[in-house]
């Protein structure tokens, strides 16, 4: 490989939530500190333990060498980089600068859109298992989450339950849905047929869709990310989508997401709301980082990254399914997350999911309690680490946890 996905980089004391928040209870979802004698292996918060693409750091350093950081204009290059990157998938073919807007994180986008589209007390449809951060965007703003559970089909693939979605939308008079595509934490990459059916349900009920496509680039071989807006003409007009280079290139600390909204009325309403207070402003280094990421070198780096995380996911599923009886692990189609179903193991061993999670934390296996994601007996596992660290985590799971 040309790029570095094997070095173990010390992030401790380097502002990294993944390390420095452990045992802190800032969000209430952090792992506990390990016992003495065990170092911490971060398998929780959704960032990567790989150095980012060198084109990104180069661009930022070049900009930082010009030692003025005053108010700045969003460059044409910024918009053009997004247009080229998003068009490369064969979708968003008529995307223009006018459809794109900077967002202070996907959470910034969702918070604004929820405030614009709904009133306090309204209900919003989500799928469960659910990315834990959505709860804050919905419930933190005084709205209510309504979950439509994904169900596993006979082959174990998580599927949307269209009848249940339709029923819940009607029962709770829902007008807004947050769709996660690709889906965190299940790792599903929705197919065109699945998205078409979902859009039929939304169209029939006049539901506006907020499509979080932050994981769009991290899709494994044999699967393809289909932007929800590109499903049909109705979706183009009724879906507001959010993207970012942050998951793909490990840039969450720089903050720099963006929306794509084709419908003029919807876009104006969302933009007007955030412009009113000037809170939604880009950081100049983040702008240069995006241009470095969405480049030829960025694509080459990402292609290697995809090989690494897909390889890690295959290895993890193979090892876990073979070694830990009653723990179910399905190969994801994208993202770098695994969602382990431990119900068989807990039933068999008489141990609770708390016992299992804490046994891992005690020996530095820094995984995350699946109950935060509405998985009752589940664990979420982040695989974006050098393979040797994952192997060490598997070894500890075998020796100390699933015994
Ligand atoms: C589905 C999803 N949306 C949004 C985010 C966070 O996005 P941002 O850092 O741009 O606010 C995450 C981070 O894990 C995520 O998994």
């Amino acid at each position: 490989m040309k790029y570095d996905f094997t070095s173990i980089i010390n992030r401790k004391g380097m502002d990294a939530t993944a390390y420095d928040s452990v045992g802190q209870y800032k969000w209430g979802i952090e792992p506990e500190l390990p016992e003495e004698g065990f170092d911490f292996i971060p398998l929780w918060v959704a960032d990567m333990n790989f150095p980012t693409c060198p084109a990104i750091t180069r661009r930022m350093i070049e900009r930082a060498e010009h030692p003025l950081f005053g108010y700045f204009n969003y460059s044409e290059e910024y918009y053009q980089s997004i247009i080229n990157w998003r068009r490369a998938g064969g979708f968003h073919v008529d995307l223009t600068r006018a459809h794109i807007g900077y967002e202070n994180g996907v959470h910034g986008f969702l918070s604004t859109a929820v405030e614009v589209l709904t009133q306090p007390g309204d209900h919003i449809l989500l799928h469960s298992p659910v990315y834990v951060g959505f709860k804050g965007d919905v419930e933190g703003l005084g709205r209510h989450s309504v979950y439509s559970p994904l169900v596993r089909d006979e082959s174990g693939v998580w599927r949307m339950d269209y009848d249940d979605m339709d029923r819940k939308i009607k029962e709770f008079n829902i007008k807004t849905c947050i769709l996660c595509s690709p889906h965190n934490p299940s790792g599903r990459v929705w197919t065109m047929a699945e998205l078409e059916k979902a859009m039929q349900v939304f169209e029939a009920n006049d539901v506006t869709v907020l499509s979080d496509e932050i994981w769009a680039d991290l899709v494994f071989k044999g699967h393809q990310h289909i932007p929800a807006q590109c499903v049909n003409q109705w979706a183009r007009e009724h879906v507001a989508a959010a993207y970012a280079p942050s998951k793909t290139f490990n840039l969450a600390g720089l903050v720099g997401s963006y929306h794509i909204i084709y419908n003029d009325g919807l876009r104006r309403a969302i933009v007007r709301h955030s412009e009113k207070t000037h809170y939604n402003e880009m950081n100049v280094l983040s702008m240069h980082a995006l241009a470095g990421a969405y480049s030829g070198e960025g694509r080459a780096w990402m292609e290697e990254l995809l090989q690494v995380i897909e390889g890690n996911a295959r290895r993890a599923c193979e090892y876990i399914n073979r070694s830990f009886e009653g723990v179910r692990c399905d190969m994801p189609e994208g993202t770098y997350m695994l969602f382990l179903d431990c119900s068989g193991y807990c039933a068999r061993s008489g141990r609770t999911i708390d016992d299992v999670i804490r046994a891992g934390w005690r020996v530095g296996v820094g995984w995350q309690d699946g109950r935060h994601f509405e998985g009752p007996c589940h664990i979420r596992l982040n695989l974006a680490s050098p393979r040797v660290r994952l192997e060490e985590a598997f070894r500890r799971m075998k020796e100390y946890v699933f015994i």
Side-chain angles (χ1 to χ4, degrees):
M1 291 225 168
K2 180 168 173 203
Y3 299 106
D4 181 6
F5 298 100
T6 51
S7 295
I8 300 168
I9 296 179
N10 182 14
R11 298 177 70 193
K12 217 167 157 21
M14 293 303 293
D15 323 308
T17 297
Y19 283 85
D20 296 339
S21 285
V22 176
Q24 299 272 316
Y25 307 107
K26 183 177 127 202
W27 296 330
I29 56 172
E30 299 86 347
E32 288 172 7
L33 282 167
E35 284 170 0
E36 239 180 84
F38 294 97
D39 64 337
F40 182 75
I41 306 176
L43 306 170
W44 65 295
V45 67
D47 70 12
M48 304 196 277
N49 293 294
F50 304 126
T52 194
C53 169
I56 298 173
T57 14
R58 214 168 42 240
R59 280 295 302 253
M60 290 174 68
I61 290 166
E62 273 165 27
R63 176 60 187 83
E65 275 168 358
H66 175 71
L68 286 93
F69 300 98
Y71 292 111
F72 69 104
N73 295 332
Y74 298 3
S75 66
E76 188 52 39
E77 183 195 28
Y78 170 78
Y79 291 101
Q80 207 49 55
S81 306
I82 293 174
I83 291 169
N84 294 344
W85 189 264
R86 296 268 70 97
R87 276 192 195 160
F91 295 100
H92 287 308
V93 284
D94 52 1
L95 179 64
T96 69
R97 175 182 172 144
H99 305 128
I100 300 167
Y102 169 77
E103 295 287 351
N104 274 346
V106 169
H107 289 302
F109 162 75
L110 289 174
S111 308
T112 304
V114 161
E115 289 208 294
V116 169
L117 297 173
T118 65
Q119 297 296 319
D122 282 355
H123 293 77
I124 294 179
L125 190 78
L126 301 147
H127 290 109
S128 61
V130 66
Y131 161 55
V132 59
F134 291 157
K135 295 185 188 182
D137 304 327
V138 172
E139 289 153 33
L141 292 170
R143 278 71 171 170
H144 304 289
S145 307
V146 175
Y147 296 117
S148 179
L150 302 176
V151 281
R152 286 175 189 274
D153 67 11
E154 47 301 335
S155 320
V157 181
W158 296 92
R159 302 277 182 197
M160 292 187 238
D161 180 344
Y162 306 103
D163 291 337
D164 182 72
M165 288 161 61
D166 186 62
R167 211 167 26 247
K168 300 241 165 84
I169 288 170
K170 290 188 165 68
E171 184 183 343
F172 293 95
N173 191 26
I174 288 173
K175 291 291 162 213
T176 307
C177 169
I178 300 178
L179 181 74
C180 191
S181 175
H183 184 263
N184 170 16
S186 75
R188 273 307 316 281
V189 176
W190 307 117
T191 63
M192 181 61 101
E194 288 174 307
L195 289 170
E196 276 170 355
K197 280 196 207 148
M199 292 304 149
Q200 276 167 17
V201 175
F202 297 135
E203 181 174 3
N205 291 287
D206 199 17
V207 170
T208 302
V209 182
L210 304 175
S211 189
D212 177 345
E213 305 191 14
I214 195 168
W215 293 97
D217 298 321
L218 299 184
V219 168
F220 301 155
K221 275 203 194 69
H223 302 278
Q224 185 178 28
H225 172 70
I226 317 270
Q229 287 162 319
C230 301
V231 166
N232 57 31
Q233 190 58 29
W234 182 88
R236 184 182 159 94
E237 298 300 325
H238 296 85
V239 176
Y243 294 91
S246 56
K247 290 288 161 251
T248 320
F249 293 97
N250 208 22
L251 305 180
L254 291 174
V255 183
S257 304
Y258 56 92
H259 68 236
I260 294 178
I261 310 175
Y262 288 106
N263 181 291
D264 291 340
L266 183 58
R267 190 178 60 251
R268 275 197 215 109
I270 288 175
V271 169
R272 205 181 307 125
H273 186 84
S274 54
E275 276 182 357
K276 254 194 250 167
T277 54
H278 301 282
Y279 69 78
N280 189 36
E281 297 288 349
M282 196 167 10
N283 177 305
V284 69
L285 292 182
S286 167
M287 179 171 80
H288 286 267
L290 180 138
Y294 285 179
S295 64
E297 187 173 355
R299 189 160 296 282
W301 185 89
M302 180 183 81
E303 272 155 21
E304 289 196 354
L305 169 75
L306 281 168
Q307 288 177 41
V308 171
I309 57 176
E310 181 169 352
N312 284 356
R314 273 195 202 292
R315 167 70 180 146
C317 288
E318 177 268 318
Y319 184 88
I320 291 169
N321 287 325
R322 173 167 49 80
S323 315
F324 309 142
E325 196 192 327
V327 180
R328 176 172 185 159
C329 173
D330 294 300
M331 180 64 194
E333 298 168 346
T335 80
Y336 46 73
M337 292 300 180
L338 277 189
F339 204 50
L340 305 182
D341 180 350
C342 301
S343 43
Y345 174 80
C346 287
R348 180 173 78 72
S349 64
R351 298 170 82 204
T352 65
I353 191 68
D354 266 317
D355 296 335
V356 175
I357 291 166
R358 281 171 202 286
W361 287 345
R362 276 197 291 276
V363 295
V365 174
W367 51 22
Q368 211 166 6
D369 187 340
R371 287 171 294 189
H372 301 304
F373 303 83
E374 301 295 315
C377 199
H378 293 69
I379 292 176
R380 193 180 78 152
L381 207 63
N382 174 341
L383 300 168
S385 283
R387 178 70 71 87
V388 285
R389 296 303 282 156
L390 290 183
E391 295 292 350
E392 173 59 16
F394 299 153
R395 191 190 66 74
R396 292 184 203 177
M397 288 176 206
K398 188 169 183 157
E399 195 169 335
Y400 302 102
V401 182
F402 296 110
I403 41 178

